[in-house]
Tab-separated table of all heavy atoms in Angstrom:
chain	number	residue	atom	x	y	z
A	439	MET	N	115.695	115.916	67.247
A	439	MET	CA	117.133	115.562	67.721
A	439	MET	C	117.963	115.292	66.625
A	439	MET	O	118.543	114.185	66.380
A	439	MET	CB	116.977	114.357	68.588
A	439	MET	CG	116.323	114.547	69.872
A	439	MET	SD	116.472	113.049	71.057
A	439	MET	CE	115.468	111.844	70.161
A	440	PRO	N	118.126	116.251	65.706
A	440	PRO	CA	118.919	116.107	64.423
A	440	PRO	C	120.468	115.738	64.662
A	440	PRO	O	120.948	114.857	64.008
A	440	PRO	CB	118.907	117.375	63.711
A	440	PRO	CG	118.619	118.431	64.790
A	440	PRO	CD	117.687	117.677	65.801
A	441	PHE	N	120.987	116.304	65.643
A	441	PHE	CA	122.455	116.021	65.890
A	441	PHE	C	122.673	114.646	66.426
A	441	PHE	O	123.473	113.840	66.063
A	441	PHE	CB	123.144	116.985	66.855
A	441	PHE	CG	124.525	116.768	67.226
A	441	PHE	CD1	125.507	116.941	66.307
A	441	PHE	CD2	124.818	116.298	68.556
A	441	PHE	CE1	126.860	116.471	66.668
A	441	PHE	CE2	126.195	116.025	68.821
A	441	PHE	CZ	127.176	116.112	67.912
A	442	ILE	N	121.800	114.281	67.493
A	442	ILE	CA	121.951	112.987	68.062
A	442	ILE	C	121.673	111.858	67.024
A	442	ILE	O	122.302	110.821	66.981
A	442	ILE	CB	120.990	112.859	69.301
A	442	ILE	CG1	121.504	113.664	70.461
A	442	ILE	CG2	120.773	111.429	69.758
A	442	ILE	CD1	120.638	113.770	71.618
A	443	HIS	N	120.682	112.079	66.243
A	443	HIS	CA	120.353	111.166	65.105
A	443	HIS	C	121.499	111.009	64.073
A	443	HIS	O	121.677	109.921	63.509
A	443	HIS	CB	119.161	111.446	64.549
A	443	HIS	CG	117.765	111.249	65.264
A	443	HIS	ND1	116.765	112.010	65.322
A	443	HIS	CD2	117.518	110.148	66.062
A	443	HIS	CE1	115.744	111.554	66.139
A	443	HIS	NE2	116.212	110.355	66.572
A	444	SER	N	122.269	112.042	63.902
A	444	SER	CA	123.282	112.004	62.969
A	444	SER	C	124.571	111.467	63.559
A	444	SER	O	125.433	111.012	62.707
A	444	SER	CB	123.589	113.470	62.475
A	444	SER	OG	124.266	114.223	63.597
A	445	MET	N	124.621	111.264	64.875
A	445	MET	CA	125.930	110.684	65.347
A	445	MET	C	126.142	109.275	65.107
A	445	MET	O	125.232	108.517	65.167
A	445	MET	CB	125.911	110.925	66.912
A	445	MET	CG	125.813	112.431	67.340
A	445	MET	SD	125.659	112.466	69.238
A	445	MET	CE	127.456	111.965	69.678
A	446	SER	N	127.316	108.896	64.611
A	446	SER	CA	127.629	107.508	64.347
A	446	SER	C	129.050	107.139	64.693
A	446	SER	O	129.263	106.056	65.236
A	446	SER	CB	127.414	107.275	62.917
A	446	SER	OG	128.269	108.076	62.152
A	447	GLU	N	130.034	107.956	64.518
A	447	GLU	CA	131.422	107.594	64.715
A	447	GLU	C	131.698	107.602	66.231
A	447	GLU	O	131.346	108.571	66.880
A	447	GLU	CB	132.367	108.572	64.035
A	447	GLU	CG	133.895	108.164	64.047
A	447	GLU	CD	134.666	109.199	63.254
A	447	GLU	OE1	134.222	110.104	62.758
A	447	GLU	OE2	135.894	108.879	63.304
A	448	ASN	N	132.275	106.435	66.672
A	448	ASN	CA	132.658	106.394	68.171
A	448	ASN	C	131.415	106.735	68.935
A	448	ASN	O	131.559	107.407	70.082
A	448	ASN	CB	133.747	107.341	68.526
A	448	ASN	CG	135.032	106.915	67.681
A	448	ASN	OD1	135.308	105.686	67.488
A	448	ASN	ND2	135.825	107.890	67.413
A	449	THR	N	130.226	106.255	68.680
A	449	THR	CA	129.034	106.450	69.384
A	449	THR	C	128.147	105.266	69.568
A	449	THR	O	128.087	104.428	68.718
A	449	THR	CB	128.135	107.524	68.581
A	449	THR	OG1	128.970	108.683	68.246
A	449	THR	CG2	126.841	107.774	69.279
A	450	GLN	N	127.661	105.160	70.758
A	450	GLN	CA	126.630	104.115	71.131
A	450	GLN	C	125.320	104.823	71.444
A	450	GLN	O	125.360	105.750	72.282
A	450	GLN	CB	127.144	103.287	72.209
A	450	GLN	CG	128.395	102.528	71.889
A	450	GLN	CD	129.024	101.812	73.130
A	450	GLN	OE1	128.332	101.664	74.191
A	450	GLN	NE2	130.199	101.337	73.027
A	451	LYS	N	124.210	104.368	70.917
A	451	LYS	CA	122.928	105.010	71.122
A	451	LYS	C	121.792	104.012	71.356
A	451	LYS	O	121.924	102.915	70.776
A	451	LYS	CB	122.519	105.971	69.924
A	451	LYS	CG	123.491	107.097	69.666
A	451	LYS	CD	122.947	108.060	68.592
A	451	LYS	CE	122.924	107.259	67.232
A	451	LYS	NZ	122.591	108.147	66.130
A	452	GLY	N	120.818	104.375	72.007
A	452	GLY	CA	119.661	103.484	72.241
A	452	GLY	C	118.675	104.051	73.143
A	452	GLY	O	118.663	105.334	73.402
A	453	TYR	N	117.736	103.111	73.571
A	453	TYR	CA	116.740	103.496	74.554
A	453	TYR	C	117.058	102.920	75.840
A	453	TYR	O	117.411	101.760	75.958
A	453	TYR	CB	115.319	103.100	74.051
A	453	TYR	CG	114.880	104.003	72.951
A	453	TYR	CD1	114.797	103.669	71.679
A	453	TYR	CD2	114.374	105.325	73.251
A	453	TYR	CE1	114.349	104.426	70.644
A	453	TYR	CE2	113.869	106.104	72.192
A	453	TYR	CZ	113.890	105.579	70.925
A	453	TYR	OH	113.405	106.464	69.876
A	454	LEU	N	116.845	103.754	76.948
A	454	LEU	CA	117.143	103.164	78.318
A	454	LEU	C	115.797	102.966	78.993
A	454	LEU	O	114.882	103.772	78.887
A	454	LEU	CB	117.815	104.343	79.089
A	454	LEU	CG	118.677	103.892	80.254
A	454	LEU	CD1	119.657	102.977	79.955
A	454	LEU	CD2	119.351	105.186	80.886
A	455	ASN	N	115.647	101.800	79.651
A	455	ASN	CA	114.385	101.424	80.422
A	455	ASN	C	114.525	102.188	81.793
A	455	ASN	O	115.506	101.982	82.509
A	455	ASN	CB	114.325	99.987	80.624
A	455	ASN	CG	114.071	99.271	79.371
A	455	ASN	OD1	114.650	99.239	78.305
A	455	ASN	ND2	112.835	98.418	79.408
A	456	MET	N	113.422	102.882	82.072
A	456	MET	CA	113.491	103.697	83.293
A	456	MET	C	112.494	103.071	84.374
A	456	MET	O	111.539	102.316	84.029
A	456	MET	CB	113.006	105.145	83.050
A	456	MET	CG	113.598	105.742	81.822
A	456	MET	SD	115.468	105.770	82.042
A	456	MET	CE	115.668	106.989	83.336
A	457	SER	N	112.760	103.367	85.579
A	457	SER	CA	111.837	102.854	86.732
A	457	SER	C	110.724	104.069	86.969
A	457	SER	O	109.618	103.731	87.735
A	457	SER	CB	112.649	102.677	87.975
A	457	SER	OG	113.381	101.525	87.863
A	458	VAL	N	110.849	105.258	86.505
A	458	VAL	CA	109.835	106.354	86.719
A	458	VAL	C	109.533	106.978	85.482
A	458	VAL	O	110.207	106.952	84.492
A	458	VAL	CB	110.607	107.269	87.826
A	458	VAL	CG1	110.850	106.732	89.233
A	458	VAL	CG2	111.819	107.932	87.262
A	459	THR	N	108.458	107.610	85.553
A	459	THR	CA	107.974	108.525	84.442
A	459	THR	C	107.257	109.769	85.109
A	459	THR	O	106.637	109.711	86.094
A	459	THR	CB	106.914	107.840	83.597
A	459	THR	OG1	106.593	108.712	82.427
A	459	THR	CG2	105.652	107.477	84.259
A	460	GLY	N	107.710	110.951	84.599
A	460	GLY	CA	107.181	112.199	85.161
A	460	GLY	C	107.909	112.619	86.347
A	460	GLY	O	107.720	113.747	86.916
A	461	GLY	N	108.766	111.863	86.973
A	461	GLY	CA	109.500	112.173	88.213
A	461	GLY	C	109.254	110.995	89.217
A	461	GLY	O	108.560	110.035	88.905
A	462	PRO	N	109.984	110.946	90.338
A	462	PRO	CA	111.003	112.006	90.765
A	462	PRO	C	112.423	111.745	90.144
A	462	PRO	O	112.827	110.590	89.962
A	462	PRO	CB	111.089	111.778	92.269
A	462	PRO	CG	110.786	110.430	92.466
A	462	PRO	CD	109.733	109.975	91.419
A	463	THR	N	113.049	112.834	89.822
A	463	THR	CA	114.410	112.803	89.187
A	463	THR	C	115.423	112.061	90.050
A	463	THR	O	116.167	111.246	89.420
A	463	THR	CB	114.873	114.231	88.977
A	463	THR	OG1	114.024	114.976	88.074
A	463	THR	CG2	116.293	114.306	88.550
A	464	ALA	N	115.338	112.228	91.274
A	464	ALA	CA	116.326	111.659	92.134
A	464	ALA	C	116.383	110.136	92.156
A	464	ALA	O	117.368	109.553	92.478
A	464	ALA	CB	116.120	112.143	93.672
A	465	ASN	N	115.199	109.512	91.788
A	465	ASN	CA	115.141	108.018	91.770
A	465	ASN	C	116.071	107.479	90.554
A	465	ASN	O	116.827	106.493	90.715
A	465	ASN	CB	113.765	107.510	91.676
A	465	ASN	CG	113.120	107.547	93.090
A	465	ASN	OD1	113.634	108.087	93.964
A	465	ASN	ND2	111.914	106.977	93.132
A	466	THR	N	116.040	108.203	89.432
A	466	THR	CA	116.927	107.754	88.317
A	466	THR	C	118.298	108.022	88.675
A	466	THR	O	119.155	107.200	88.381
A	466	THR	CB	116.532	108.483	87.060
A	466	THR	OG1	115.111	108.231	86.695
A	466	THR	CG2	117.426	108.152	85.959
A	467	GLU	N	118.672	109.122	89.229
A	467	GLU	CA	119.911	109.450	89.695
A	467	GLU	C	120.517	108.450	90.652
A	467	GLU	O	121.673	108.034	90.504
A	467	GLU	CB	119.804	110.913	90.381
A	467	GLU	CG	121.161	111.636	90.473
A	467	GLU	CD	120.822	113.052	91.099
A	467	GLU	OE1	119.827	113.692	90.731
A	467	GLU	OE2	121.681	113.433	91.899
A	468	PHE	N	119.603	107.928	91.552
A	468	PHE	CA	120.044	106.959	92.560
A	468	PHE	C	120.451	105.741	91.859
A	468	PHE	O	121.453	105.099	92.135
A	468	PHE	CB	118.961	106.703	93.542
A	468	PHE	CG	119.250	105.542	94.544
A	468	PHE	CD1	119.950	105.699	95.593
A	468	PHE	CD2	118.611	104.399	94.225
A	468	PHE	CE1	120.109	104.602	96.389
A	468	PHE	CE2	118.802	103.231	95.009
A	468	PHE	CZ	119.583	103.483	96.062
A	469	GLU	N	119.678	105.314	90.944
A	469	GLU	CA	119.909	103.997	90.175
A	469	GLU	C	121.279	104.124	89.398
A	469	GLU	O	122.072	103.112	89.367
A	469	GLU	CB	118.730	103.595	89.164
A	469	GLU	CG	117.604	103.232	89.897
A	469	GLU	CD	116.350	102.730	88.966
A	469	GLU	OE1	116.050	103.560	88.020
A	469	GLU	OE2	115.950	101.619	89.048
A	470	ILE	N	121.435	105.180	88.759
A	470	ILE	CA	122.742	105.441	88.030
A	470	ILE	C	123.936	105.462	88.883
A	470	ILE	O	124.933	104.816	88.700
A	470	ILE	CB	122.680	106.682	87.150
A	470	ILE	CG1	121.539	106.588	86.103
A	470	ILE	CG2	123.997	107.040	86.534
A	470	ILE	CD1	121.833	105.715	85.023
A	471	LEU	N	123.990	106.195	89.868
A	471	LEU	CA	125.104	106.437	90.758
A	471	LEU	C	125.389	105.243	91.617
A	471	LEU	O	126.573	104.933	91.937
A	471	LEU	CB	124.846	107.654	91.616
A	471	LEU	CG	124.867	108.999	90.902
A	471	LEU	CD1	124.588	110.162	91.771
A	471	LEU	CD2	126.316	109.159	90.189
A	472	THR	N	124.410	104.466	92.060
A	472	THR	CA	124.645	103.287	92.926
A	472	THR	C	124.592	102.047	92.139
A	472	THR	O	124.900	100.940	92.749
A	472	THR	CB	123.632	103.202	94.028
A	472	THR	OG1	122.242	102.963	93.477
A	472	THR	CG2	123.635	104.406	94.971
A	473	ARG	N	124.281	102.056	90.810
A	473	ARG	CA	124.172	100.881	89.964
A	473	ARG	C	123.202	99.919	90.607
A	473	ARG	O	123.446	98.749	90.702
A	473	ARG	CB	125.491	100.151	89.824
A	473	ARG	CG	126.581	101.088	89.052
A	473	ARG	CD	127.975	100.675	89.295
A	473	ARG	NE	128.264	100.911	90.766
A	473	ARG	CZ	129.341	100.471	91.343
A	473	ARG	NH1	130.171	99.818	90.713
A	473	ARG	NH2	129.540	100.789	92.613
A	474	SER	N	122.052	100.484	91.114
A	474	SER	CA	121.042	99.675	91.701
A	474	SER	C	119.786	99.747	90.950
A	474	SER	O	119.545	100.645	90.142
A	474	SER	CB	120.780	100.094	93.235
A	474	SER	OG	122.024	100.057	93.994
A	475	THR	N	118.805	98.863	91.275
A	475	THR	CA	117.460	98.954	90.667
A	475	THR	C	116.451	99.076	91.760
A	475	THR	O	116.481	98.561	92.786
A	475	THR	CB	117.123	97.701	89.862
A	475	THR	OG1	115.765	97.731	89.334
A	475	THR	CG2	117.303	96.490	90.601
A	476	LEU	N	115.413	100.064	91.388
A	476	LEU	CA	114.348	100.254	92.297
A	476	LEU	C	113.317	99.060	92.360
A	476	LEU	O	112.508	99.008	93.165
A	476	LEU	CB	113.517	101.483	91.854
A	476	LEU	CG	114.230	102.783	92.122
A	476	LEU	CD1	113.383	103.965	91.517
A	476	LEU	CD2	114.656	102.946	93.478
A	477	ASN	N	113.581	98.084	91.404
A	477	ASN	CA	112.753	96.769	91.456
A	477	ASN	C	112.716	96.085	92.830
A	477	ASN	O	111.810	95.530	93.244
A	477	ASN	CB	113.202	95.849	90.378
A	477	ASN	CG	112.280	94.675	90.220
A	477	ASN	OD1	112.450	93.763	91.079
A	477	ASN	ND2	111.468	94.732	89.225
A	478	PHE	N	113.903	96.264	93.606
A	478	PHE	CA	114.137	95.535	94.867
A	478	PHE	C	113.847	96.451	96.066
A	478	PHE	O	114.072	96.048	97.167
A	478	PHE	CB	115.602	95.009	94.942
A	478	PHE	CG	115.945	94.151	93.852
A	478	PHE	CD1	117.181	94.035	93.324
A	478	PHE	CD2	114.947	93.144	93.377
A	478	PHE	CE1	117.659	93.100	92.324
A	478	PHE	CE2	115.288	92.170	92.401
A	478	PHE	CZ	116.617	92.191	91.839
A	479	LEU	N	113.296	97.576	95.789
A	479	LEU	CA	112.883	98.515	96.758
A	479	LEU	C	111.405	98.747	96.820
A	479	LEU	O	110.770	98.662	95.807
A	479	LEU	CB	113.577	99.867	96.669
A	479	LEU	CG	115.060	99.869	96.828
A	479	LEU	CD1	115.709	101.305	96.570
A	479	LEU	CD2	115.552	99.308	98.149
A	480	PRO	N	110.756	99.125	97.949
A	480	PRO	CA	109.330	99.431	97.984
A	480	PRO	C	108.958	100.386	96.987
A	480	PRO	O	109.605	101.451	96.807
A	480	PRO	CB	109.037	99.827	99.424
A	480	PRO	CG	110.189	99.238	100.114
A	480	PRO	CD	111.369	99.259	99.301
A	481	TYR	N	107.854	100.183	96.267
A	481	TYR	CA	107.434	101.240	95.210
A	481	TYR	C	106.921	102.510	96.126
A	481	TYR	O	106.275	102.449	97.076
A	481	TYR	CB	106.215	100.656	94.422
A	481	TYR	CG	105.790	101.705	93.443
A	481	TYR	CD1	106.455	101.678	92.248
A	481	TYR	CD2	104.768	102.700	93.702
A	481	TYR	CE1	106.102	102.645	91.287
A	481	TYR	CE2	104.419	103.504	92.574
A	481	TYR	CZ	105.073	103.482	91.483
A	481	TYR	OH	104.737	104.415	90.578
A	482	GLY	N	107.349	103.634	95.540
A	482	GLY	CA	107.000	104.884	96.188
A	482	GLY	C	108.129	105.409	97.111
A	482	GLY	O	108.019	106.531	97.521
A	483	SER	N	109.174	104.652	97.242
A	483	SER	CA	110.288	105.160	98.049
A	483	SER	C	111.151	106.184	97.303
A	483	SER	O	111.228	106.069	96.072
A	483	SER	CB	111.150	104.024	98.581
A	483	SER	OG	111.597	103.288	97.525
A	484	VAL	N	111.758	106.961	98.014
A	484	VAL	CA	112.696	107.984	97.383
A	484	VAL	C	113.952	107.836	98.169
A	484	VAL	O	114.161	108.412	99.269
A	484	VAL	CB	112.214	109.459	97.499
A	484	VAL	CG1	113.154	110.445	96.864
A	484	VAL	CG2	110.848	109.557	96.956
A	485	PRO	N	114.909	106.960	97.669
A	485	PRO	CA	115.999	106.576	98.426
A	485	PRO	C	116.931	107.718	98.965
A	485	PRO	O	117.420	107.694	100.080
A	485	PRO	CB	116.828	105.709	97.439
A	485	PRO	CG	115.766	105.134	96.563
A	485	PRO	CD	114.826	106.204	96.462
A	486	TYR	N	117.066	108.793	98.075
A	486	TYR	CA	117.850	109.937	98.467
A	486	TYR	C	117.356	110.437	99.932
A	486	TYR	O	118.267	110.881	100.662
A	486	TYR	CB	117.775	111.039	97.464
A	486	TYR	CG	118.858	110.972	96.452
A	486	TYR	CD1	119.557	109.792	96.073
A	486	TYR	CD2	119.203	112.118	95.733
A	486	TYR	CE1	120.412	109.717	95.131
A	486	TYR	CE2	120.126	112.050	94.681
A	486	TYR	CZ	120.872	110.896	94.460
A	486	TYR	OH	121.791	110.898	93.469
A	487	THR	N	116.198	110.521	100.050
A	487	THR	CA	115.640	111.172	101.326
A	487	THR	C	115.324	110.139	102.364
A	487	THR	O	115.202	110.558	103.541
A	487	THR	CB	114.488	111.870	101.016
A	487	THR	OG1	113.444	111.093	100.442
A	487	THR	CG2	114.746	113.078	100.064
A	488	GLN	N	115.344	108.849	102.140
A	488	GLN	CA	114.914	107.848	103.085
A	488	GLN	C	116.050	106.887	103.405
A	488	GLN	O	116.146	106.453	104.615
A	488	GLN	CB	113.703	107.066	102.456
A	488	GLN	CG	112.462	107.845	102.343
A	488	GLN	CD	111.371	107.113	101.628
A	488	GLN	OE1	111.387	107.015	100.377
A	488	GLN	NE2	110.496	106.439	102.308
Side-chain angles (χ1 to χ4, degrees):
M439 291 193 294
F441 176 71
I442 290 175
H443 285 139
S444 70
M445 297 176 70
S446 58
E447 185 177 3
N448 296 324
T449 300
Q450 298 173 11
K451 297 184 295 185
Y453 286 102
L454 200 59
N455 289 55
M456 313 303 292
S457 288
V458 297
T459 185
T463 294
N465 280 10
T466 299
E467 200 173 319
F468 171 82
E469 288 186 304
I470 295 289
L471 291 175
T472 63
R473 297 156 293 166
S474 302
T475 175
L476 292 178
N477 186 283
F478 299 143
L479 295 178
Y481 186 84
S483 58
V484 182
Y486 267 24
T487 59
Q488 294 172 276

